[in-house]
Amino acid sequence: MAMEITQFLLAAQSADANVRNEAEANLRQLQQQNLPVFLLSLSVELANNDKPAESRRLAGIVLKNSLDAKDASTKETLVQQWMAIDISFKSQIKDLVLRTLGSPVPEARHTSAQVIAKIASIEIPQKQWPDLIQSLLNNVTQPESHAVVKQATLETLGYVCEEISHEDLVQDEVNAVLTAVVQGMNLAEHSVEVRLAATRALYNALDFAQTNFQNEMERNYIMKMVCETAKAKEVEIRQASFECLVSIASTYYEVLEPYMQTLFELTSNAVKGDEEAVALQAIEFWSSICDEEIELQEFDTPETGDSSPPHSHFIEKAQSSLVPMLLETLLKQEEDQDQDDSIWNISMAGGTCLCLVARTVGNEIIPLVMPFVEENIVKPDWHRREAATYAFCSILEGPTVEKLAPLVQAGLEFLLNAMKDENNHVKDTTAWTLSRIFELLHCPSSGFSVITSPENLQRILAVLLESIKDAPNVAEKVCGAIYYLAQGYEDAGPSSSLLTPYLTSIITELLRTADRTDGGDSKLRSSAYETLNEVVRCSNIAETSKIIAELIPAIMSRLSQTLELQIVSTEDREKQGDLQAALCGVLQVIIQKFSSSDDTKSVILQAADQIMLLFLRVFACRSSTVHEEAMLAIGALAYATGPEFAKYMPEFFQYLQMGLQNSEEYQVCSITVGVVGDICRALDDKILPFCDGIMTLLLTDLSSSQLHRSVKPPIFSCFGDIALAIGEHFEKYVPHALQMMQDAAKACAHLDVDDEELMDYGNQLRRSIFEAYSGILQGFKNAKAEVMMPYAQHLLQFIELVFRDRQRDESVTKAAVAVMGDLADALGPNTKILFKDCSFCAEFLGECLQSDDEQLKETAGVSSEISGFLLIHILWYRKLLQCLRDESVMKAAVAVMGDLADALGPNTKILFKDCSFCAEFLGECLQSDDEQLKETAGWTQGMIGRVMVS
């Protein structure tokens, strides 16, 4: 039944684009016409040893890509397609890919292993393909199995373990897999290829070994095999074994105590004398231990009140030997490592680990590192000077400020002088060290800074502004130093003025640096513009407005010049886009800075027409790189100009539409949704002429299976912004928008709470749905509030669902409580019946009013007052008052009872007649020690008395 597709597969790899495109089109057509036969044909091609290696390779790739995709929605579609295929086809495909594990062609075996794992990822969680694990184990354990079969099967087991959860296998299967894998690592019995495959498979299977690691005998056996393999003759096997140890350090930290002496010896020997690939993993082992212990220290804070998991203090016990070993790695620099940020070598790994050790042991690191720094910082050999500087920088985070301050202040002048060192590496690391010093130890607003005087600051800036002219890699680090230097003066009160005299010089040098043509790939230009943004953002606007105002035409001129660049290649287009994005980013920060004060907003209003014209011309370049930054800048401009932004909408609207339709570049779409909200807040009902188009696109985006899910929460929030802006005119969108919100609310209940990423997404989604409801309810509050009555019951059910979730995020809680108040406020007496049967409301509000979060308490208090005013005669509010006993709430409740009697007069007679609890409540308040509460209760009692008499 399979088709002959060899020629199509070979043609799809042709150097001739026409031949290649035609073949790819033919393959797509075959796939669309009959997917089961197409997939079977691919597996036949992959399994056939008589077919060309090229066609088999592509057949495997296409087969694998037909089962899995990076995009979640596409992956779900592929899974559903596979599940829908008839079992007879699937059985043939699975038999063929299993058979391919014995192919003499390594690439065919490798691809087949990946395909098997992809099928397993779909079927094993569904309790299908029950004999897969046993079939693979038979390949490994049967004496007659050829070495290539064992190697390919172990590789497959590793991939399968990577794809599925440990919960998908029963413990007997886990035991059998681990036994087969660990035995495959045995030096005496197997070839190098089999042992390497087994060691790599163990790495992927370690998550499955939780039960086994709790058993001392089994744990000892696994650790024994891993440690023996770490001493194998073959570099690749040693590297794979150390990768296993890194994973074990993270996963099974609590059981490592008996093995630590052996592990220190293994890692120490590897770091000192093994190949770099192995040594890097040995260092990574200690970095992982640090990560675990840092997390344990954070967990074991008094605020949590939780019992801490076991903390073995491995780093503290090993530091006297570990730190000297790491310091030695710093001397193994590569000649060009300062030119490429992507380089990762022993020196950099050692420095990173040293930084983690400092965070783990705190002050204890100082006496272990400072002798090395002092001994080497002035040595003739640049390797030693650079290593000493790197070591000093690596311990800046961890020790207390009190311990570090004297060292840094004593060494600061030395570091400034070192910016003139003859060696580029030393200058690079020194600039980075200064950057870290200003990041960690320069915060005048908190009362401490290593910059102790205006003269000190003048000296520092003189060195930095001179050094920014140095080699691109040094200049980039200097930009970082200026960035954190400026950031330290944000919200620093009088100290923020210290930077003002130097602002013109700083801006001038940063612009000059951004214009340099020798930056190459060092990211110098982007660093210069990012630093310029931070300098503007953190400046004292009252003192620097004239200086920053002069920056506006300079940046606009640069942006205008980019529109005239000659574009002859894709690279030219990318460079133009990157530069435009950076300049739009600077304008955004300037607009936000001037808009933050009424005294300076006029500067932006005067330049708004020219700025907007430039942004529109930038959009016309059709670059997604720029689209994001330009959109953000326009959002800032909308906020600054307010209702005046309406004049730009007719021309801008086409680009707003483009952004909302850009589902492929979902970040652009997401930012555009946010800008719609900004514009709604700026224009209010002036946005109305554009709402049909906007709402149509937003609803289309929500319905799209192609759009990344992260865009959907902002869309719901945007519904609220639109409804607030246009009020009763939102009515025509309600049926479609509310249906989408209800569907999303239902979806929240089915998200996997064990998946941290999904849980975060669920919290974002729920919060945004509540924000949408709040905006819509507030929009209808003064007219047509009854439109929302049919949806109120569903909203309360959703709130209750959130209330019952003990893992809900605090931001979701705030949004839920706020919408309860909005519901009562908007629908008024109509909510009486709704709230009557919702006893959870009282519990929810009570819980929030007892929170330590002041903002949450305030929100809950407002919601309580609104709901209480309307429903005070209903039993749930009585329960609320009884459960709280919070004096501020009692005062508010007593006052609102009086307000109710005063406002409604004789109409409240019947209400109070049936509320015997009112007398009890007033009696309790009148006996309170709080004079203000007694006075309020007395006033209320009198008011109710007059009503009842009348």
Side-chain angles (χ1 to χ4, degrees), residues 441-694:
L441 299 167
H442 167 55
C443 187
S445 62
S446 70
F448 175 78
S449 174
V450 293
I451 303 172
T452 53
S453 66
E455 294 76 22
N456 205 203
L457 177 61
Q458 183 179 19
R459 165 78 172 130
I460 289 167
L461 281 168
V463 170
L464 292 178
L465 295 180
E466 182 62 30
S467 298
I468 204 170
K469 302 169 187 174
D470 212 312
N473 61 293
V474 175
E476 186 187 341
K477 305 295 191 309
V478 171
C479 285
I482 297 172
Y483 179 102
Y484 289 114
L485 183 68
Q487 191 179 80
Y489 287 113
E490 183 184 14
D491 301 326
S495 296
S496 65
S497 299
L498 292 174
L499 203 61
T500 301
Y502 308 100
L503 196 65
T504 301
S505 300
I506 293 170
I507 290 173
T508 301
E509 288 303 332
L510 287 171
L511 289 175
R512 187 178 293 145
T513 302
D515 291 340
R516 283 173 59 164
T517 57
D518 63 341
D521 297 324
S522 72
K523 301 182 291 188
L524 178 57
R525 182 161 60 192
S526 62
S527 294
Y529 279 125
E530 284 171 13
T531 303
L532 179 60
N533 290 345
E534 195 66 4
V535 168
V536 170
R537 194 182 68 80
C538 298
S539 64
N540 185 324
I541 190 66
E543 299 174 350
T544 62
S545 58
K546 290 183 180 179
I547 300 170
I548 298 173
E550 292 172 2
L551 185 58
I552 297 174
I555 298 299
M556 288 174 63
S557 173
R558 281 172 162 75
L559 187 55
S560 180
Q561 289 168 22
T562 66
L563 300 167
E564 312 302 326
L565 291 173
Q566 187 175 4
I567 307 299
V568 296
S569 67
T570 305
E571 186 180 359
D572 288 342
R573 176 71 65 192
E574 287 177 359
K575 286 182 178 178
Q576 180 196 45
D578 289 342
L579 181 53
Q580 288 177 339
L583 292 165
C584 286
V586 177
L587 285 173
Q588 179 200 349
V589 172
I590 294 172
I591 292 167
Q592 288 173 330
K593 189 69 178 177
F594 278 110
S595 303
S596 65
S597 167
D598 290 337
D599 295 335
T600 53
K601 190 179 285 189
S602 59
V603 175
I604 298 302
L605 296 178
Q606 291 167 13
D609 288 353
Q610 292 173 285
I611 292 173
M612 190 65 191
L613 180 62
L614 261 179
F615 287 154
L616 292 171
R617 290 180 66 194
V618 166
F619 275 121
C621 294
R622 303 294 176 94
S623 165
S624 62
T625 308
V626 188
H627 203 128
E628 289 183 46
E629 293 295 340
M631 269 292 170
L632 289 169
I634 282 177
L637 190 64
Y639 174 81
T641 55
E644 293 298 312
F645 191 82
K647 64 184 176 183
Y648 307 127
M649 281 301 292
E651 193 171 352
F652 172 59
F653 186 62
Q654 61 174 310
Y655 300 113
L656 203 64
Q657 288 177 301
M658 284 169 50
L660 294 175
Q661 290 171 322
N662 196 344
S663 57
E664 289 185 11
E665 292 159 327
Y666 67 88
Q667 296 95 334
V668 172
C669 186
S670 183
I671 286 169
T672 307
V673 170
V675 170
V676 170
D678 293 335
I679 293 171
C680 287
R681 287 185 287 276
L683 298 186
D684 289 327
D685 59 358
K686 288 185 179 181
I687 191 71
L688 190 58
F690 306 95
C691 281
D692 282 353
I694 290 170

Side-chain angles (χ1 to χ4, degrees), residues 717-736:
S717 298
C718 193
F719 285 171
D721 294 326
I722 294 170
L724 267 175
I726 65 175
E728 63 186 80
H729 299 290
F730 194 80
E731 182 180 2
K732 64 178 175 179
Y733 308 124
V734 165
H736 299 294

Side-chain angles (χ1 to χ4, degrees), residues 140-188:
V140 178
T141 56
Q142 288 177 355
E144 63 271 18
S145 290
H146 194 277
V148 296
V149 176
K150 290 184 177 181
Q151 180 270 331
T153 303
L154 286 164
E155 183 180 18
T156 306
L157 280 169
Y159 287 144
V160 169
C161 289
E162 188 177 19
E163 291 287 343
I164 66 174
S165 165
H166 67 274
E167 296 173 353
D168 294 327
L169 299 182
V170 299
Q171 190 56 43
D172 286 347
E173 288 178 312
V174 172
N175 294 343
V177 169
L178 286 170
T179 300
V181 167
V182 175
Q183 287 179 351
M185 296 164 66
N186 194 304
L187 175 63

